[in-house]
Amino acid sequence: MEYVRLGSTGLQVSPICLGTWRFGLEHEDSGVMETDREEAHELLDALEDRGGNFIDTANGYGEGRSEKWIGEWLEERDREDYVIASKCYWSDVSRFQENLSRKNIRAEVEGSLEKLDTDYLDVLYFHRFDDDVDIAHALRTVDDLISEGKVHYVGISTCDAWKLTKGLWQADVNNYEAFAVTQPQYSATYRDPVSEYLDVCADQDIAVCPYSPLHGGFLTGKYERVGDGEVKTPDDSRGDLDEHFTDWYLDDQAWEVLDEIRAVADEVDATPAQVSLRWLMDHERFTCVPIIGARTVDQLDENLDAIEVSLSDDQWARIDDATEAGEA
């Protein structure tokens, strides 16, 4: 596997990152756990076998089980071989400290290090922008953690473009470590809401690690339109388990983009999921490393095979044009 440089960080990572938000995730309505401990370790083993080294988690995923299971898996391996990203904002210990206060950032980072059984995080994301805390104070806290060797780089997930810019400005004027990695929701069918955010990333050489790169599994092509407005969803799929899936993910634009992706997939002898991921990896304006949330080893293998897919400039542009046409 050929690795890519993660923006300006210098970190060499696999072109696809394994997201672990499913690890230990229990659905309240059904009681179903999407990925248990044994399945989590099987996925991590499969990632390792394929040469993957980039793992994304968060302090609250699976009520802390995600970090704990990753830490158990890392015990028998050389920590230096892996790039581990985690997040803070929501508290794992106190409902009164869900923010980017100095107290909460430090508490959550220490908790993550303990569960992961590691001395440092390669990337610490702010899971959200905190409007009630001075961003300079939050960045100063992470800057201190970087000086202590507990964090290497700082990133941010969901926020408005102007807030990302504000954070970059505060880091610059105060000589703090600036955001080097971002994690927005982004896919071939979800672009307009984050277009300005991505413009900032391109201008500032910030790496983009999009979550939901397959639009909640929709871009795998496993959903079909049947009848008037009806959608056929496979058993135990996200569309089957999540009652909000149709409202959040399925609209006319999404179907138009999927149709073009399916056409390209037929041309290059690949699956729609692989073409969707390859489309993201082929961005030239910024480093783009999609985060996949595979539930099975077969799904993980299929997604990782996207690394071997090749799209022509014309095929890439057709998908891009379909997105713009759908938005119009």
Side-chain angles (χ1 to χ4, degrees), residues 7 17 33 41 49 73 90 94 127 135 149 151 154 177 180 184 186 195 207 241 274 278 287 309 328:
C17 175
M33 179 176 288
H41 286 182
D49 290 343
W73 182 82
W90 287 286
S94 172
H127 216 149
I135 188 63
V151 172
V154 61
E177 191 75 17
Y186 180 49
S195 60
L241 296 173
Q274 291 166 351
R278 185 73 257 179
T287 305
V309 173

Side-chain angles (χ1 to χ4, degrees), residues 80-100:
E80 293 298 320
D81 290 340
Y82 298 91
V83 175
I84 308 296
S86 193
K87 308 175 187 70
C88 68
Y89 181 90
W90 287 286
S91 175
D92 194 35
V93 294
S94 172
R95 64 187 178 89
F96 297 110
Q97 294 296 327
E98 295 183 343
N99 52 42
L100 293 181

Side-chain angles (χ1 to χ4, degrees), residues 221-269:
K222 62 188 175 185
Y223 297 94
E224 298 287 348
R225 283 182 287 190
V226 291
D228 185 16
E230 295 294 320
V231 178
K232 182 179 180 181
T233 61
D235 293 339
D236 294 328
S237 66
R238 188 168 181 181
D240 181 48
L241 296 173
D242 189 342
E243 62 182 88
H244 302 293
F245 182 83
T246 300
D247 294 334
W248 287 350
Y249 290 97
L250 306 189
D251 55 27
D252 290 340
Q253 173 199 347
W255 290 110
E256 289 182 22
V257 174
L258 179 59
D259 287 343
E260 193 61 54
I261 286 174
R262 281 172 164 159
V264 172
D266 288 341
E267 295 167 12
V268 299
D269 192 24

Side-chain angles (χ1 to χ4, degrees), residues 201-231:
C201 294
D203 182 72
Q204 296 296 308
D205 192 21
I206 301 174
V208 178
C209 297
Y211 72 88
S212 200
L214 298 178
H215 204 53
F218 172 74
L219 291 176
T220 62
K222 62 188 175 185
Y223 297 94
E224 298 287 348
R225 283 182 287 190
V226 291
D228 185 16
E230 295 294 320
V231 178

